[in-house]
Amino acid sequence: MTIQITPNNPQYRIVEIFESLQGEGWNTGMPAVFIRLGKCNLACSWCDTDYLKFGMMSLSDILGRLKTYTARNIIITGGEPTIQPHLDTLLNALKTEGYFLCIETNGLNPAPPQIDYVATSPKACYVAKYEFSCIEKADEVRIVADGDVIAFCQEMERKIRAQHYYLSPCEQDGVMNIYDTIRQIGVLNSRPDAPVHWQLSVQTHKWAGIE
């Protein structure tokens, strides 16, 4: 058996760290510090994050940066946070500092136990991957309507237990497919036996002109 030893001050792939307001989902408007981690296990054509442009930053430097902000909520995002080496070490350090921890994940891997709020965004364009690996529980599910995703939404209803379910428009070349998104929400919610209620989630931070 190989024993992996975590460095005392591990390095992390950091795309950016910034303070802003949560722009999507149930926690819209919540003050938070975003820690955006580099690399992803998917490659969605419409992704609006350049997760391959990152620098290495030590745990101590990350904690030092966080002390310059006022928000006590941390949103761990990416890229895909769950593939980050030494993620547990970072999360344990943040919990020790008393932060409320949220994660934004594509849901192919389980959420770490240190997380207080899980927002998962399964990707319909990778539907085959979710047949074999899928998170089972989250606080909210947000699916991007990058096509006809009604069947995929129904499958995620069965696979993921959550308090809130959202459909988000897909933005490509500055255009969001709002009409088609709300049409699909209507179809999902009009089912006589609909087990959950779907809502619209849009990236309000873009409308507000903030990160």
Side-chain angles (χ1 to χ4, degrees):
M1 182 178 66
T2 301
I3 299 176
Q4 295 184 343
I5 300 176
T6 301
N8 290 332
N9 193 24
Q11 299 275 324
Y12 295 90
R13 301 184 292 249
I14 300 294
V15 175
E16 57 184 344
I17 299 177
F18 62 96
E19 187 172 24
S20 187
L21 303 177
Q22 171 62 285
E24 303 176 75
W26 181 256
N27 289 319
T28 294
M30 179 184 74
V33 178
F34 291 75
I35 300 178
R36 188 178 302 281
L37 299 169
K39 292 195 176 181
C40 190
N41 51 357
L42 299 179
C44 303
S45 61
W46 40 262
C47 182
D48 60 1
T49 298
D50 194 347
Y51 49 79
L52 294 180
K53 289 186 177 180
F54 57 83
M56 301 305 295
M57 194 170 182
S58 70
L59 174 60
S60 59
D61 287 342
I62 293 171
L63 295 176
R65 172 77 70 83
L66 294 178
K67 292 184 185 300
T68 68
Y69 301 123
T70 59
R72 300 299 299 169
N73 306 302
I74 302 289
I75 297 178
I76 309 292
T77 185
E80 174 50 42
T82 63
I83 66 171
Q84 183 75 27
H86 312 305
L87 181 62
D88 279 346
T89 303
L90 172 62
L91 298 179
N92 287 337
L94 296 176
K95 291 302 288 185
T96 298
E97 294 293 325
Y99 289 105
F100 182 83
L101 300 184
C102 310
I103 195 169
E104 296 184 338
T105 172
N106 59 35
L108 286 174
N109 298 319
Q114 301 93 330
I115 297 297
D116 299 297
Y117 191 93
V118 178
T120 185
S121 180
K123 303 302 190 287
C125 51
Y126 286 96
V127 58
K129 288 184 177 292
Y130 292 92
E131 294 179 9
F132 304 101
S133 178
C134 185
I135 197 171
E136 295 181 354
K137 184 178 179 181
D139 293 281
E140 68 179 65
V141 173
R142 293 200 306 256
I143 293 177
V144 175
D146 57 349
D148 185 344
V149 298
I150 291 174
F152 184 70
C153 289
Q154 292 174 309
E155 181 64 18
M156 293 302 102
E157 290 173 347
R158 290 189 288 270
K159 286 182 176 289
I160 307 173
R161 301 187 310 276
Q163 296 178 344
H164 312 286
Y165 293 81
Y166 295 98
L167 205 57
S168 300
C170 183
E171 181 177 351
Q172 298 189 74
D173 300 322
V175 178
M176 289 191 293
N177 59 339
I178 292 286
Y179 177 84
D180 189 56
T181 301
I182 61 174
R183 179 192 63 80
Q184 293 190 64
I185 290 174
V187 172
L188 287 165
N189 290 336
S190 65
R191 294 171 294 163
D193 57 347
V196 305
H197 182 78
W198 289 83
Q199 301 176 76
L200 175 68
S201 177
V202 295
Q203 294 180 312
T204 59
H205 51 284
K206 292 184 177 180
W207 292 352
I210 59 176
E211 286 192 84

